[in-house]
């Protein structure tokens, strides 16, 4: 077992885990597209509430959700701080000779609600999916075979490279390396990246040779092809109807 994992563990309901992974990808894509089409605050707030509801219903672990959202909010704080000063409009307040506008504040709130809604929906619908199942879903949706193959190989060996990086770091600590703000530290990190690159290339060559010995001819065969059934059609239809509600609200209430 690798010490590196790409997905968080979720206590998914049985009905959700049994869905075709393409259903979850299509639902996530539809949610994202609709969120990008919204520009009014109330419909976007409704989308955010809907995303929060999905994280509750689909059994996501809130500790990991909050941890990942905090990393995202670090960028959103910069948007909230600087965007009001860069958009012209009705002055809100003045700071250091610069005017913050209400229009800039509105755009910042739109970006904040839209970004949080999309990230939460992706974590709920796709974040708990196993990487291999995600690769099968991408292949089932007709994405280029080379792209799917690259994704599957990356998922398989990124953990191996992470473990190799950990071994190199352990070797550095065994030689009494202590990171600091000096030339020795930067040179040591440069050597670390160089050795990681060299070992990655050597491992890739060994893997390529082993695959050729086993008859690999460039075609990636899926052992468990995905199958669409009636429950997937019903689930996707319900998702479409729910996700379209904020768009209809914006159309009828605001006319755009």
């Amino acid at each position: 077992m690798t010490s590196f994992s790409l997905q968080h563990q979720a206590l998914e309901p049985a009905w959700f885990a049994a869905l075709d992974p393409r259903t979850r990808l299509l639902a996530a894509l539809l949610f994202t597209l609709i969120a990008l089409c919204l520009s009014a605050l109330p419909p976007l707030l409704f989308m955010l509430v809907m995303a929060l509801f999905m994280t509750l219903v689909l059994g996501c672990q809130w500790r990991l959700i909050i941890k990942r959202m905090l990393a995202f909010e670090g960028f959103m704080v910069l948007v909230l701080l600087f965007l009001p000063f860069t958009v012209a409009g009705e002055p809100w307040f003045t700071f250091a000779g610069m005017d913050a506008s209400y229009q800039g504040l509105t755009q910042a709130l739109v970006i904040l609600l839209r970004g949080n809604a999309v990230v939460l929906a992706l974590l709920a619908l796709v974040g708990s999916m196993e990487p291999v199942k995600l690769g099968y879903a991408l292949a089932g949706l007709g994405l280029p075979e080379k792209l799917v193959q690259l994704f599957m190989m990356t998922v398989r060996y990124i953990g191996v490279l992470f473990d190799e990086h950990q071994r190199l770091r352990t070797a550095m600590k065994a030689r009494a390396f202590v990171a600091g703000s000096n030339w020795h530290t930067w040179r040591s990190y440069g050597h670390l990246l160089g050795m990681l690159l060299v070992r990655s290339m050597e491992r890739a060559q060994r893997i390529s040779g082993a695959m050729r010995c086993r008859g690999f001819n460039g075609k990636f065969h899926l052992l468990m092809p995905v199958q669409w059934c009636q429950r997937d059609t019903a689930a996707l239809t319900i998702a479409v109807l729910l996700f379209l509600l904020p768009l209809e609200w914006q159309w009828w209430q605001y006319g755009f």
Side-chain angles (χ1 to χ4, degrees):
M1 293 294 293
T2 178
S3 60
F4 183 80
S5 177
L6 290 178
Q7 79 279 1
H8 68 269
Q9 298 297 323
L11 303 176
E12 298 178 348
W15 63 268
F16 185 67
L19 290 176
D20 190 308
R22 290 175 293 181
T23 306
R24 299 164 64 171
L25 276 181
L26 291 174
L29 177 62
L30 177 64
F31 187 97
T32 302
L33 291 177
I34 292 177
L36 292 176
C37 293
L38 297 176
S39 56
L41 293 179
L44 281 170
L45 184 60
F46 184 78
M47 291 289 284
L48 179 60
V49 173
M50 192 182 302
L52 289 171
F53 180 74
M54 285 192 294
T55 59
L56 290 175
V57 172
L58 301 182
C60 298
Q61 292 187 4
W62 275 100
R63 179 179 298 179
L64 294 175
I65 291 291
I66 293 175
K67 181 179 179 181
R68 296 188 177 187
M69 290 302 297
L70 286 177
F72 176 73
E73 298 301 338
F75 169 75
M76 300 308 296
V77 168
L78 297 178
V79 174
L80 287 174
L81 289 178
F82 294 105
L83 194 57
F85 294 97
T86 59
V87 176
E90 182 182 355
W92 178 28
F93 68 91
T94 302
F95 178 77
M98 298 182 297
D99 292 330
S101 64
Y102 285 104
Q103 288 76 8
L105 176 63
T106 301
Q107 291 190 20
L109 291 177
V110 166
I111 294 175
L112 177 67
L113 293 176
R114 182 185 295 160
N116 281 275
V118 170
V119 171
L120 283 173
L122 291 177
L123 290 176
L125 295 171
V126 184
S128 60
M129 190 186 304
E130 295 181 358
V132 175
K133 186 182 292 187
L134 179 58
Y136 288 168
L138 295 175
L141 290 175
L143 268 71
E145 184 178 350
K146 293 296 183 182
L147 179 62
V148 177
Q149 180 178 333
L150 179 62
F151 173 79
M152 298 287 280
M153 296 294 291
T154 302
V155 167
R156 171 61 182 85
Y157 289 102
I158 192 172
V160 177
L161 297 181
F162 180 79
D163 292 338
E164 186 69 30
H165 172 264
Q166 291 297 98
R167 284 194 291 270
L168 292 173
R169 287 295 304 270
T170 302
M172 293 174 65
K173 293 179 180 179
R175 292 173 174 83
F177 171 76
V178 178
S181 246
N182 50 56
W183 175 249
H184 173 70
T185 298
W186 294 111
R187 182 175 57 184
S188 300
Y189 281 143
H191 292 165
L192 171 64
L193 293 177
M195 286 300 301
L196 184 61
L197 178 61
V198 170
R199 295 193 180 187
S200 301
M201 294 177 62
E202 293 177 349
R203 186 178 290 272
Q205 292 174 356
R206 293 198 301 269
I207 293 171
S208 177
M211 293 175 66
R212 291 194 181 97
C213 289
R214 291 169 173 81
F216 179 70
N217 58 358
K219 183 174 179 59
F220 193 80
H221 299 278
L222 300 179
L223 300 179
M224 296 180 295
V226 291
Q227 295 182 352
W228 191 275
C229 59
Q230 292 183 352
R231 65 168 175 264
D232 301 305
T233 303
L236 187 58
T237 302
I238 294 174
V240 170
L241 294 177
L242 289 177
F243 295 164
L244 285 176
L245 290 178
L247 193 60
E248 295 176 357
W249 181 8
Q250 176 173 281
W251 175 264
W252 289 107
Q253 186 71 25
Y254 301 95
F256 57 87

